[in-house]
Short mmCIF file of all heavy atoms in Angstrom, two decimals:
data_model
loop_
_atom_site.label_atom_id
_atom_site.label_comp_id
_atom_site.label_asym_id
_atom_site.label_seq_id
_atom_site.Cartn_x
_atom_site.Cartn_y
_atom_site.Cartn_z
N CYS A 15 178.42 50.47 125.37
CA CYS A 15 178.39 51.07 126.69
C CYS A 15 177.02 51.64 127.01
O CYS A 15 176.22 51.93 126.12
CB CYS A 15 179.45 52.16 126.81
SG CYS A 15 179.13 53.59 125.74
N SER A 16 176.77 51.82 128.29
CA SER A 16 175.57 52.53 128.73
C SER A 16 175.85 54.03 128.71
O SER A 16 176.92 54.47 128.29
CB SER A 16 175.15 52.05 130.12
OG SER A 16 176.20 52.17 131.04
N ASN A 17 174.90 54.83 129.16
CA ASN A 17 175.01 56.29 129.08
C ASN A 17 176.22 56.78 129.87
O ASN A 17 176.32 56.55 131.07
CB ASN A 17 173.75 56.95 129.62
CG ASN A 17 172.61 56.94 128.64
OD1 ASN A 17 172.40 55.94 127.94
ND2 ASN A 17 171.86 58.02 128.56
N ASN A 18 177.12 57.49 129.20
CA ASN A 18 178.30 58.05 129.85
C ASN A 18 177.99 59.43 130.43
O ASN A 18 177.12 60.16 129.93
CB ASN A 18 179.45 58.19 128.87
CG ASN A 18 180.21 56.91 128.61
OD1 ASN A 18 181.43 56.93 128.45
ND2 ASN A 18 179.53 55.78 128.56
N TYR A 19 178.74 59.78 131.47
CA TYR A 19 178.69 61.13 132.01
C TYR A 19 180.07 61.46 132.56
O TYR A 19 180.89 60.57 132.78
CB TYR A 19 177.62 61.26 133.10
CG TYR A 19 177.94 60.50 134.37
CD1 TYR A 19 178.49 61.16 135.47
CD2 TYR A 19 177.72 59.12 134.47
CE1 TYR A 19 178.81 60.46 136.63
CE2 TYR A 19 178.04 58.42 135.63
CZ TYR A 19 178.58 59.10 136.70
OH TYR A 19 178.90 58.41 137.85
N GLY A 20 180.33 62.75 132.76
CA GLY A 20 181.62 63.17 133.28
C GLY A 20 182.06 64.48 132.66
O GLY A 20 181.27 65.17 132.01
N PRO A 21 183.35 64.84 132.82
CA PRO A 21 183.86 66.11 132.28
C PRO A 21 183.82 66.16 130.76
O PRO A 21 183.93 65.14 130.09
CB PRO A 21 185.31 66.14 132.78
CG PRO A 21 185.37 65.15 133.88
CD PRO A 21 184.37 64.10 133.57
N TYR A 22 183.69 67.37 130.24
CA TYR A 22 183.79 67.66 128.81
C TYR A 22 182.63 67.12 127.97
O TYR A 22 182.76 67.01 126.75
CB TYR A 22 185.12 67.14 128.23
CG TYR A 22 186.35 67.70 128.87
CD1 TYR A 22 187.16 66.92 129.70
CD2 TYR A 22 186.75 69.02 128.65
CE1 TYR A 22 188.29 67.43 130.30
CE2 TYR A 22 187.89 69.55 129.25
CZ TYR A 22 188.66 68.74 130.07
OH TYR A 22 189.79 69.26 130.66
N GLN A 23 181.50 66.82 128.58
CA GLN A 23 180.36 66.35 127.79
C GLN A 23 179.60 67.53 127.21
O GLN A 23 179.26 68.47 127.93
CB GLN A 23 179.44 65.46 128.62
CG GLN A 23 178.35 64.79 127.77
CD GLN A 23 177.59 63.72 128.53
OE1 GLN A 23 177.49 63.77 129.76
NE2 GLN A 23 177.03 62.75 127.83
N PHE A 24 179.31 67.47 125.91
CA PHE A 24 178.63 68.57 125.23
C PHE A 24 177.28 68.83 125.89
O PHE A 24 176.51 67.89 126.11
CB PHE A 24 178.44 68.21 123.75
CG PHE A 24 178.20 69.39 122.86
CD1 PHE A 24 179.25 70.15 122.39
CD2 PHE A 24 176.91 69.75 122.50
CE1 PHE A 24 179.03 71.24 121.56
CE2 PHE A 24 176.67 70.83 121.67
CZ PHE A 24 177.73 71.58 121.20
N PRO A 25 176.97 70.08 126.21
CA PRO A 25 175.79 70.37 127.03
C PRO A 25 174.45 70.33 126.30
O PRO A 25 173.56 71.13 126.60
CB PRO A 25 176.08 71.77 127.58
CG PRO A 25 176.99 72.39 126.60
CD PRO A 25 177.83 71.27 126.04
N GLU A 26 174.29 69.38 125.39
CA GLU A 26 172.96 69.08 124.86
C GLU A 26 172.47 67.75 125.45
O GLU A 26 171.29 67.44 125.38
CB GLU A 26 172.98 68.98 123.33
CG GLU A 26 173.74 67.77 122.80
CD GLU A 26 173.77 67.69 121.28
OE1 GLU A 26 173.14 68.55 120.63
OE2 GLU A 26 174.43 66.79 120.74
N LYS A 27 173.39 66.98 126.05
CA LYS A 27 173.05 65.71 126.67
C LYS A 27 172.47 65.95 128.06
O LYS A 27 172.69 67.00 128.68
CB LYS A 27 174.27 64.79 126.73
CG LYS A 27 174.84 64.43 125.35
CD LYS A 27 173.83 63.66 124.50
CE LYS A 27 174.37 63.28 123.14
NZ LYS A 27 175.27 62.13 123.18
N LEU A 28 171.75 64.95 128.57
CA LEU A 28 170.91 65.16 129.75
C LEU A 28 171.65 65.77 130.95
O LEU A 28 171.27 66.84 131.43
CB LEU A 28 170.27 63.84 130.18
CG LEU A 28 169.38 63.94 131.44
CD1 LEU A 28 168.08 64.67 131.13
CD2 LEU A 28 169.09 62.57 132.01
N ILE A 29 172.69 65.12 131.43
CA ILE A 29 173.32 65.57 132.67
C ILE A 29 173.96 66.94 132.52
O ILE A 29 173.68 67.85 133.33
CB ILE A 29 174.31 64.51 133.19
CG1 ILE A 29 173.50 63.34 133.80
CG2 ILE A 29 175.27 65.10 134.22
CD1 ILE A 29 174.34 62.20 134.33
N PRO A 30 174.81 67.21 131.52
CA PRO A 30 175.37 68.56 131.43
C PRO A 30 174.33 69.63 131.10
O PRO A 30 174.47 70.77 131.55
CB PRO A 30 176.42 68.45 130.31
CG PRO A 30 176.03 67.24 129.53
CD PRO A 30 175.40 66.31 130.50
N LEU A 31 173.28 69.27 130.35
CA LEU A 31 172.23 70.25 130.07
C LEU A 31 171.54 70.66 131.36
O LEU A 31 171.30 71.85 131.60
CB LEU A 31 171.22 69.66 129.09
CG LEU A 31 169.99 70.55 128.78
CD1 LEU A 31 170.42 71.85 128.09
CD2 LEU A 31 168.98 69.80 127.94
N MET A 32 171.21 69.68 132.19
CA MET A 32 170.51 69.99 133.44
C MET A 32 171.41 70.77 134.40
O MET A 32 170.96 71.70 135.07
CB MET A 32 170.02 68.70 134.09
CG MET A 32 169.04 67.93 133.24
SD MET A 32 167.58 68.92 132.79
CE MET A 32 167.00 68.03 131.34
N ILE A 33 172.69 70.38 134.47
CA ILE A 33 173.61 71.11 135.36
C ILE A 33 173.74 72.56 134.92
O ILE A 33 173.60 73.49 135.73
CB ILE A 33 174.99 70.44 135.38
CG1 ILE A 33 174.91 69.04 135.99
CG2 ILE A 33 175.99 71.30 136.16
CD1 ILE A 33 176.20 68.24 135.85
N THR A 34 174.01 72.77 133.64
CA THR A 34 174.27 74.14 133.16
C THR A 34 173.00 75.00 133.18
O THR A 34 173.07 76.18 133.53
CB THR A 34 174.89 74.12 131.75
OG1 THR A 34 174.02 73.41 130.85
CG2 THR A 34 176.25 73.43 131.78
N ASN A 35 171.85 74.42 132.84
CA ASN A 35 170.62 75.18 132.94
C ASN A 35 170.32 75.57 134.39
O ASN A 35 169.90 76.70 134.68
CB ASN A 35 169.44 74.39 132.37
CG ASN A 35 169.30 74.53 130.87
OD1 ASN A 35 170.26 74.93 130.19
ND2 ASN A 35 168.15 74.21 130.33
N ALA A 36 170.55 74.64 135.31
CA ALA A 36 170.30 74.94 136.72
C ALA A 36 171.22 76.05 137.21
O ALA A 36 170.80 76.94 137.97
CB ALA A 36 170.47 73.68 137.56
N LEU A 37 172.49 76.01 136.78
CA LEU A 37 173.44 77.05 137.20
C LEU A 37 173.03 78.43 136.67
O LEU A 37 173.38 79.45 137.27
CB LEU A 37 174.84 76.70 136.72
CG LEU A 37 175.53 75.55 137.47
CD1 LEU A 37 176.80 75.12 136.76
CD2 LEU A 37 175.84 75.96 138.91
N GLU A 38 172.29 78.43 135.57
CA GLU A 38 171.81 79.69 134.99
C GLU A 38 170.37 79.99 135.41
O GLU A 38 169.78 80.96 134.92
CB GLU A 38 171.90 79.64 133.47
CG GLU A 38 173.33 79.54 132.95
CD GLU A 38 173.39 79.46 131.43
OE1 GLU A 38 172.63 78.66 130.83
OE2 GLU A 38 174.20 80.21 130.84
N ASP A 39 169.82 79.16 136.30
CA ASP A 39 168.42 79.31 136.75
C ASP A 39 167.44 79.31 135.58
O ASP A 39 166.43 80.03 135.59
CB ASP A 39 168.26 80.59 137.59
CG ASP A 39 169.04 80.52 138.88
OD1 ASP A 39 168.88 79.53 139.61
OD2 ASP A 39 169.83 81.45 139.16
N ARG A 40 167.73 78.46 134.61
CA ARG A 40 166.85 78.29 133.46
C ARG A 40 166.04 77.01 133.62
O ARG A 40 166.43 76.11 134.37
CB ARG A 40 167.67 78.23 132.17
CG ARG A 40 168.43 79.52 131.87
CD ARG A 40 169.35 79.34 130.68
NE ARG A 40 168.64 78.92 129.48
CZ ARG A 40 169.22 78.52 128.37
NH1 ARG A 40 170.54 78.46 128.31
NH2 ARG A 40 168.50 78.17 127.33
N PRO A 41 164.89 76.88 132.92
CA PRO A 41 164.08 75.66 133.05
C PRO A 41 164.86 74.41 132.64
O PRO A 41 165.70 74.45 131.73
CB PRO A 41 162.91 75.92 132.09
CG PRO A 41 162.82 77.40 131.97
CD PRO A 41 164.24 77.89 132.07
N LEU A 42 164.55 73.30 133.31
CA LEU A 42 165.17 72.01 133.01
C LEU A 42 164.13 71.15 132.29
O LEU A 42 163.20 70.62 132.92
CB LEU A 42 165.62 71.32 134.30
CG LEU A 42 166.99 71.72 134.88
CD1 LEU A 42 167.05 73.20 135.19
CD2 LEU A 42 167.30 70.90 136.13
N PRO A 43 164.25 71.00 130.95
CA PRO A 43 163.23 70.25 130.20
C PRO A 43 163.39 68.74 130.37
O PRO A 43 164.45 68.18 130.14
CB PRO A 43 163.50 70.66 128.75
CG PRO A 43 164.97 71.00 128.72
CD PRO A 43 165.28 71.57 130.08
N VAL A 44 162.32 68.08 130.79
CA VAL A 44 162.32 66.63 131.00
C VAL A 44 161.26 66.02 130.10
O VAL A 44 160.09 66.39 130.15
CB VAL A 44 162.02 66.30 132.48
CG1 VAL A 44 161.91 64.79 132.66
CG2 VAL A 44 163.09 66.88 133.39
N TYR A 45 161.69 65.07 129.27
CA TYR A 45 160.76 64.43 128.33
C TYR A 45 159.69 63.61 129.05
O TYR A 45 159.99 62.87 130.01
CB TYR A 45 161.51 63.51 127.38
CG TYR A 45 162.21 64.19 126.23
CD1 TYR A 45 163.55 63.92 125.96
CD2 TYR A 45 161.53 65.08 125.40
CE1 TYR A 45 164.20 64.52 124.89
CE2 TYR A 45 162.18 65.69 124.34
CZ TYR A 45 163.50 65.41 124.09
OH TYR A 45 164.14 66.01 123.04
N GLY A 46 158.46 63.70 128.57
CA GLY A 46 157.37 62.85 129.03
C GLY A 46 157.16 62.94 130.53
O GLY A 46 157.10 64.03 131.10
N ASP A 47 157.08 61.76 131.18
CA ASP A 47 156.88 61.73 132.63
C ASP A 47 158.21 61.66 133.39
O ASP A 47 158.22 61.63 134.62
CB ASP A 47 155.97 60.57 133.04
CG ASP A 47 156.51 59.21 132.62
OD1 ASP A 47 157.67 59.13 132.16
OD2 ASP A 47 155.77 58.21 132.73
N GLY A 48 159.32 61.61 132.64
CA GLY A 48 160.63 61.57 133.28
C GLY A 48 161.02 60.23 133.86
O GLY A 48 162.06 60.12 134.53
N LEU A 49 160.23 59.19 133.61
CA LEU A 49 160.48 57.89 134.22
C LEU A 49 161.24 56.92 133.32
O LEU A 49 161.36 55.74 133.63
CB LEU A 49 159.16 57.26 134.69
CG LEU A 49 158.39 58.08 135.73
CD1 LEU A 49 157.14 57.35 136.16
CD2 LEU A 49 159.28 58.42 136.93
N ASN A 50 161.75 57.41 132.20
CA ASN A 50 162.63 56.60 131.36
C ASN A 50 163.90 56.29 132.16
O ASN A 50 164.47 57.17 132.80
CB ASN A 50 162.99 57.34 130.07
CG ASN A 50 161.76 57.68 129.27
OD1 ASN A 50 161.03 58.60 129.63
ND2 ASN A 50 161.53 56.97 128.19
N VAL A 51 164.35 55.04 132.10
CA VAL A 51 165.47 54.57 132.92
C VAL A 51 166.72 54.40 132.06
O VAL A 51 166.66 53.82 130.96
CB VAL A 51 165.13 53.23 133.60
CG1 VAL A 51 166.34 52.68 134.35
CG2 VAL A 51 163.94 53.41 134.55
N ARG A 52 167.83 54.92 132.57
CA ARG A 52 169.12 54.74 131.91
C ARG A 52 170.13 54.21 132.92
O ARG A 52 170.04 54.48 134.12
CB ARG A 52 169.63 56.07 131.31
CG ARG A 52 168.72 56.64 130.22
CD ARG A 52 168.69 55.76 129.01
NE ARG A 52 167.85 56.27 127.94
CZ ARG A 52 166.59 55.89 127.73
NH1 ARG A 52 166.01 55.02 128.55
NH2 ARG A 52 165.90 56.38 126.71
N ASP A 53 171.11 53.46 132.41
CA ASP A 53 172.20 52.92 133.22
C ASP A 53 173.39 53.85 133.01
O ASP A 53 173.91 53.97 131.90
CB ASP A 53 172.52 51.50 132.77
CG ASP A 53 173.70 50.89 133.49
OD1 ASP A 53 174.10 51.43 134.54
OD2 ASP A 53 174.23 49.88 133.01
N TRP A 54 173.86 54.52 134.07
CA TRP A 54 174.87 55.57 133.95
C TRP A 54 176.27 55.02 134.24
O TRP A 54 176.48 54.31 135.22
CB TRP A 54 174.54 56.73 134.87
CG TRP A 54 173.29 57.42 134.44
CD1 TRP A 54 172.02 57.25 134.91
CD2 TRP A 54 173.18 58.38 133.37
NE1 TRP A 54 171.14 58.04 134.22
CE2 TRP A 54 171.81 58.75 133.27
CE3 TRP A 54 174.10 58.97 132.51
CZ2 TRP A 54 171.36 59.68 132.34
CZ3 TRP A 54 173.64 59.90 131.58
CH2 TRP A 54 172.29 60.25 131.50
N LEU A 55 177.20 55.40 133.39
CA LEU A 55 178.59 54.93 133.44
C LEU A 55 179.52 56.13 133.41
O LEU A 55 179.46 56.95 132.48
CB LEU A 55 178.88 54.03 132.23
CG LEU A 55 180.32 53.58 131.98
CD1 LEU A 55 180.76 52.59 133.06
CD2 LEU A 55 180.45 52.94 130.59
#
């Protein structure tokens, strides 16, 4: 499968990490230039 997202994902993965950090007004760390491409499922 390609990169999964949705409910109950452990918040070390990209999407839940960014959501939860943003909700706490904390920095959102993005690797490199951020232009790595993923196919989301």
Side-chain angles (χ1 to χ4, degrees):
C15 66
S16 55
N17 282 40
N18 279 217
Y19 68 99
Y22 301 108
Q23 189 170 25
F24 200 82
E26 68 181 357
K27 298 298 181 78
L28 179 72
I29 286 178
L31 176 64
M32 299 303 158
I33 295 171
T34 57
N35 275 19
L37 287 170
E38 295 179 313
D39 295 308
R40 296 173 58 190
L42 277 59
V44 175
Y45 281 129
D47 59 9
L49 300 183
N50 301 75
V51 175
R52 298 294 180 263
D53 176 16
W54 293 97
L55 172 70

